[in-house]
């Protein structure tokens, strides 16, 4: 319950109760932001993805702006697990906000052993970023296919008793099928989604703008696409769906919740407006007060689909 009003902002995400549904998207948040916001107001912390091996990341340039969005090819630079535990974790221990650790590995077994290693006091949940290349499948991301998603999620499930969130890619044709595979293998929630594969070319040099040639599009430009995927996934699975893609205002977050998201992650917006998340939390509360909605959770899946005289919504989810 918020101190200022009677609105209950809490949400339940697979065994974890969050004080509100707003949290950072992996890779867009870091310790220094405590200078511009009270970390105890966030629903959760989500760390930058970490890997076991030390990684330098992709060649420069790694980021380019485009109208309504940002294309990044950072490439998950990582200083490894001991650095994370000794140097990064203590920053978050001072706050009463659950710490969700995002992990990545090149194999399903690597994911599982990293999850086991990080299932330690102070970590509230594991977010498996399975939008990364699977070296056993020619570098195709795990989350591109239901089978590889099921395999990695099953191994992760046996490796940790912590709540397990699986972050999907929007770059596959059937995200709901992949979400179903994650649910069947024991995920407690799915995060929909990572960035959309994209490209930009510089007209002076005729060269790609990014050192990696291609990168992931994020920001307002992707919101309608990911919102649609959240809607489809929320129809396909019973576990909570966490929406992530182009959220920069409370209205965006509300739209995601109405589409079926139980919580939301905010990424690119934080680069433009460092305190975006707390502004969104305030806006959610104000919206609920205005609408006389006692619990923000009442918004989840609240979209009203009017049945037409001859309903033909099969194309929304051809499988079910
Ligand atoms: C600079 C940058 C770095 C990112 N790093 C990660 C990462 O380490 N792990 C991950 O799962 N997603 C990463 N993402 C993707 C975001 O977590 C998020 O899924 C995506 O940006 C869509 O949300 P947004 O439109 O609110 O930014 C990154 C995005 C950006 C822009």
């Amino acid at each position: 319950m918020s101190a200022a009003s009677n609105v209950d902002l809490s949400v339940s995400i697979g065994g974890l109760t969050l004080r509100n549904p707003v949290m950072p998207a992996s890779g867009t948040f870091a310790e220094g932001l405590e200078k511009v916001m009270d970390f105890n107001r966030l629903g959760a912390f989500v760390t930058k993805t970490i890997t076991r091996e030390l990684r330098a990341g992709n060649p420069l340039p790694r980021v380019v702006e485009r109208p309504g969005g940002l294309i990044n090819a950072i490439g998950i630079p990582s200083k490894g697990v001991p650095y994370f535990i000794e140097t990064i974790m203590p920053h978050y221990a001072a706050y009463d906000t659950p710490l969700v650790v995002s992990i990545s590995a090149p194999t399903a077994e690597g994911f599982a052993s990293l999850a086991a290693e990080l299932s330690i006091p102070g970590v509230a949940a594991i977010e498996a970023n399975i939008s990364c290349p699977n070296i056993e499948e020619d570098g195709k991301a795990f989350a591109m296919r239901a089978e590889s998603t099921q395999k990695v999620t099953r191994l992760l499930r046996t490796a940790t008793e912590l709540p397990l969130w699986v972050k999907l890619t929007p770059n596959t044709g059937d995200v709901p099928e992949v979400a179903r595979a994650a649910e069947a293998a024991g995920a407690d929630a799915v995060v929909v989604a990572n960035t959309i594969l994209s490209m930009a070319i510089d007209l002076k040099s005729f060269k790609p703008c990014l050192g990696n040639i291609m990168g992931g599009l994020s920001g307002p430009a992707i919101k309608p696409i990911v919102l649609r995927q959240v809607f489809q996934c929320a129809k396909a699975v019973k576990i909570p769906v966490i929406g992530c893609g182009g959220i920069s205002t409370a209205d965006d977050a509300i739209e995601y919740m109405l589409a079926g998201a139980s919580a939301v992650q905010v990424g690119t917006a934080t680069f433009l407006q460092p305190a975006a998340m707390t502004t969104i939390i305030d806006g959610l509360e104000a919206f609920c007060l205005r609408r006389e909605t006692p619990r923000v959770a009442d918004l989840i899946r609240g979209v009203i689909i009017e049945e037409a005289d001859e309903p033909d919504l099969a194309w929304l989810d051809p499988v079910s």
Side-chain angles (χ1 to χ4, degrees):
M1 199 79 74
S2 152
S5 73
N6 285 331
V7 179
D8 179 0
L9 291 176
S10 67
V11 291
S12 175
I13 307 291
L16 203 60
T17 299
L18 309 184
R19 64 166 71 89
N20 65 61
V22 181
M23 66 189 96
S26 175
T28 63
F29 178 82
E31 299 79 69
L33 283 166
E34 69 217 358
K35 296 195 182 86
V36 296
M37 75 177 86
D38 177 0
F39 276 3
N40 278 326
R41 294 201 59 208
L42 297 177
F45 296 122
V46 182
T47 68
K48 169 87 189 158
T49 298
I50 62 166
T51 60
R52 168 165 289 113
E53 69 279 13
L54 306 183
R55 291 168 53 101
N58 282 331
L60 302 175
R62 291 176 172 177
V63 179
V64 59
E65 272 188 65
R66 278 296 178 261
L70 195 69
I71 309 178
N72 92 82
I74 306 282
I76 312 185
S78 175
K79 292 184 176 165
V81 177
Y83 178 86
F84 174 75
I85 293 174
E86 286 154 27
T87 312
I88 305 291
M89 273 188 70
H91 282 289
Y92 296 111
Y95 302 96
D96 182 26
T97 299
L99 179 66
V100 180
V101 177
S102 170
I103 63 167
S104 169
T107 62
E109 288 72 18
F111 259 106
S113 63
L114 187 52
E117 201 174 337
L118 285 162
S119 295
I120 53 178
V123 177
I126 300 286
E127 179 176 290
N129 172 13
I130 63 165
S131 311
C132 60
N134 174 359
I135 55 169
E136 288 157 350
E137 289 205 29
D138 287 338
K140 191 175 260 197
F142 292 87
M144 289 298 287
R145 294 178 52 245
E147 292 75 15
S148 39
T149 297
Q150 191 145 357
K151 179 181 174 192
V152 67
T153 308
R154 198 179 296 120
L155 282 183
L156 278 160
R157 185 67 291 166
T158 57
T160 181
E161 290 184 353
L162 287 175
L164 174 62
W165 302 358
V166 174
K167 184 168 178 181
L168 306 184
T169 176
N171 296 319
T172 184
D174 197 345
V175 185
E177 192 201 356
V178 176
R180 260 193 292 263
E183 177 182 49
D188 294 299
V190 283
V191 182
V192 179
N194 215 306
T195 50
I196 295 182
L197 193 60
S198 52
M199 185 174 174
I201 297 173
D202 177 67
L203 294 191
K204 284 198 194 91
S205 64
F206 281 25
K207 290 181 183 167
C209 295
L210 294 171
N212 192 53
I213 302 174
M214 288 176 275
L217 181 65
S218 62
I222 72 171
K223 196 191 92 182
I225 299 170
V226 183
L227 184 78
R228 181 266 299 174
Q229 294 178 335
V230 164
F231 175 68
Q232 291 179 305
C233 289
K235 274 163 40 84
V237 298
K238 293 198 170 59
I239 54 175
V241 176
I242 300 169
C244 176
I247 296 169
S248 37
T249 65
D251 285 0
D252 296 331
I254 293 160
E255 224 181 314
Y256 266 95
M257 294 188 77
L258 293 175
S262 296
V264 293
Q265 297 187 343
V266 178
T268 303
T270 297
F271 297 140
L272 291 167
Q273 228 190 313
M277 281 184 285
T278 48
T279 309
I280 291 171
I281 296 163
D282 291 341
L284 273 179
E285 183 171 6
F287 180 85
C288 289
L289 274 173
R290 249 188 349 264
R291 299 273 306 196
E292 297 183 4
T293 303
R295 302 177 325 139
V296 77
D298 295 338
L299 298 174
I300 301 167
R301 299 173 191 249
V303 63
I304 296 168
I305 307 289
E306 300 276 0
E307 297 254 330
D309 286 346
E310 288 178 38
D312 182 17
L313 296 176
W315 58 272
L316 291 175
D317 184 356
V319 181
S320 63

